[in-house]
Amino acid sequence: LITAAAWPGHPEFIRQFVAALGGTVRGVAGKKVLVLCGDYMEDYEVMVPFQALLSYGYGVDAVCPGKKAGDKCRTAIHDFEGDQTYSEKPGHNFALNADFAAASAAGYDGLVIPGGRAPEYLALDDKVLSLVRDFVAAGKPIASVCHGQQILAAADVLRGKRCTAYPAVGPACRSVGATWVNPDPIDLAVTDGALITAAAWPGHPEFIRQFVAALGGTVRGVAGKKVLVLCGDYMEDYEVMVPFQALLSYGYGVDAVCPGKKAGDKCRTAIHDFEGDQTYSEKPGHNFALNADFAAASAAGYDGLVIPGGRAPEYLALDDKVLSLVRDFVAAGKPIASVCHGQQILAAADVLRGKRCTAYPAVGPACRSVGATWVNPDPIDLAVTDG
């Protein structure tokens, strides 16, 4: 059993779950990655690679011109909701952990450039462009997604390189001499030497996998293993997508299911963040696409289970089929990784008795009431393994 208190604990939560599944990562020790941030970068396109790379064991610093460690960047939710182009909604507030002024290519082994709207103004910053050119000159891997390639084009480092990007960025790439790779399918990622590009956040699993390979990392013990993710409407946005895409990047098969829904259906997600109130705020998140049918899911078909938090668990905990599925994973001795409010489901299934666990603090009474040994989530990025 692996539990975490909230989405800040994803890196350790995912690392412990991979270990419980028998996976190992090699070639990452001592290596550091820089993430180039800006206001209104796409929410998934910064947090998924940031937390996924931390879970592999890399040191990861996130910086933004004009800001310092502890400052925050606003993010944007870009999604397709039936209009001719993507919609935009406010995302999480992303906390930086290093100073841009101190960042140099010499101090890192690779660079990640998220997309969203930030690149259109970061591409005007000479210090940003100089930093990118320094990574290229040093032959260090650069991974850029979606609109991030606007920065690469402005830095004039795409000449003669095969690359993809969000389709609207294609003309900018071609105009500076890139060999354009049409992003079909949209989850495409392309490697040319030390350059890894992807068209949009659906391509994160392959994008991250190729970047890790370029950094010399390898993953073992995942072949043929499958993970089930138990979804519901208004699950927390990060708490479903980060483990979903991170585990895919490791090489696991990952199926996402929801009671009453089928493959191709979507679940609404919620953004839970702390913005100065006494409890978390909630904003609409991305629409998460399921890729398997709940009716066909069984513990026998998977090696592990992931339960995201958010508001979904409070109603999923009332579903007897959900509780039976959880108990089947426990009876089979297969790893379960549950985060934040997900432990409401574990409590309802009565599988926490005698187990050390943590959760979002408000879920603590429910965990203790069914005989769990409560681990106070201090710090909030804590993750706990029992068994």
Side-chain angles (χ1 to χ4, degrees):
L1 176 67
I2 299 94
T3 54
W7 54 256
H10 279 154
E12 189 58 31
F13 174 75
I14 294 167
R15 186 181 304 137
Q16 291 180 22
F17 186 53
V18 168
L21 289 167
T24 59
V25 180
R26 299 184 180 183
V28 304
K31 293 184 178 178
K32 292 183 66 178
V33 172
L34 185 68
V35 181
L36 181 58
C37 302
D39 284 321
Y40 299 105
M41 58 192 167
E42 212 287 330
D43 200 2
Y44 280 166
E45 291 174 5
V46 61
M47 187 56 92
V48 173
F50 179 79
Q51 291 195 316
L53 291 168
L54 283 169
S55 80
Y56 277 85
Y58 295 103
V60 185
D61 286 349
V63 300
C64 175
K67 300 192 182 192
K68 297 180 179 180
D71 291 346
K72 293 185 177 181
C73 286
R74 296 188 185 273
T75 71
I77 300 286
H78 286 172
D79 211 351
F80 281 89
E81 302 183 292
D83 307 301
Q84 290 187 338
T85 189
Y86 52 84
S87 60
E88 178 169 307
K89 293 173 284 192
H92 295 82
N93 296 302
F94 183 89
L96 305 168
N97 64 347
D99 299 351
F100 178 81
S104 71
Y108 297 91
D109 298 281
L111 174 68
V112 173
I113 306 177
R117 285 198 293 109
E120 70 180 8
Y121 82 86
L122 293 177
L124 306 176
D125 188 317
D126 287 339
K127 291 181 180 178
V128 166
L129 302 184
S130 178
L131 179 64
V132 168
R133 293 184 191 114
D134 287 346
F135 273 92
V136 172
K140 295 181 176 181
I142 296 177
S144 182
V145 61
C146 200
H147 288 74
Q149 287 80 300
Q150 291 175 314
I151 295 173
L152 301 181
D156 195 19
V157 297
L158 290 178
R159 195 170 306 279
K161 290 288 187 179
R162 292 176 68 251
C163 80
T164 193
Y166 187 70
V169 184
C173 295
R174 289 190 293 265
S175 73
V176 294
T179 299
W180 176 246
V181 179
N182 189 43
D184 185 15
I186 197 64
D187 60 1
L188 182 72
V190 175
T191 292
D192 187 328
L195 177 67
I196 300 94
T197 53
W201 54 256
H204 278 152
E206 189 58 33
F207 175 74
I208 294 167
R209 187 180 302 137
Q210 291 179 23
F211 186 52
V212 168
L215 290 167
T218 59
V219 180
R220 298 187 180 183
V222 304
K225 294 185 178 178
K226 292 183 66 179
V227 173
L228 185 68
V229 181
L230 181 57
C231 301
D233 284 322
Y234 300 104
M235 58 191 167
E236 212 287 330
D237 201 1
Y238 280 165
E239 289 174 6
V240 62
M241 187 57 90
V242 172
F244 179 79
Q245 291 195 318
L247 291 168
L248 283 170
S249 79
Y250 278 86
Y252 295 103
V254 185
D255 286 349
V257 301
C258 175
K261 300 192 182 192
K262 297 180 179 180
D265 291 345
K266 293 185 177 181
C267 287
R268 296 186 186 274
T269 72
I271 291 172
H272 287 172
D273 210 352
F274 281 89
E275 301 183 293
D277 307 301
Q278 290 187 338
T279 190
Y280 51 84
S281 60
E282 179 169 307
K283 295 175 283 193
H286 296 82
N287 296 303
F288 182 89
L290 305 168
N291 64 347
D293 299 351
F294 178 81
S298 71
Y302 297 91
D303 298 281
L305 175 67
V306 173
I307 306 177
R311 284 198 292 111
E314 69 179 9
Y315 82 86
L316 293 176
L318 306 176
D319 188 317
D320 287 339
K321 291 181 179 178
V322 167
L323 302 185
S324 178
L325 180 64
V326 169
R327 293 184 190 116
D328 287 346
F329 272 92
V330 172
K334 295 181 176 181
I336 296 175
S338 183
V339 60
C340 200
H341 287 75
Q343 286 81 299
Q344 290 175 314
I345 296 173
L346 301 181
D350 196 19
V351 297
L352 290 177
R353 195 170 306 279
K355 292 287 187 179
R356 293 175 67 252
C357 80
T358 193
Y360 187 71
V363 184
C367 295
R368 290 191 292 267
S369 74
V370 295
T373 300
W374 176 246
V375 179
N376 188 42
D378 184 14
I380 198 64
D381 59 0
L382 181 73
V384 175
T385 293
D386 187 324

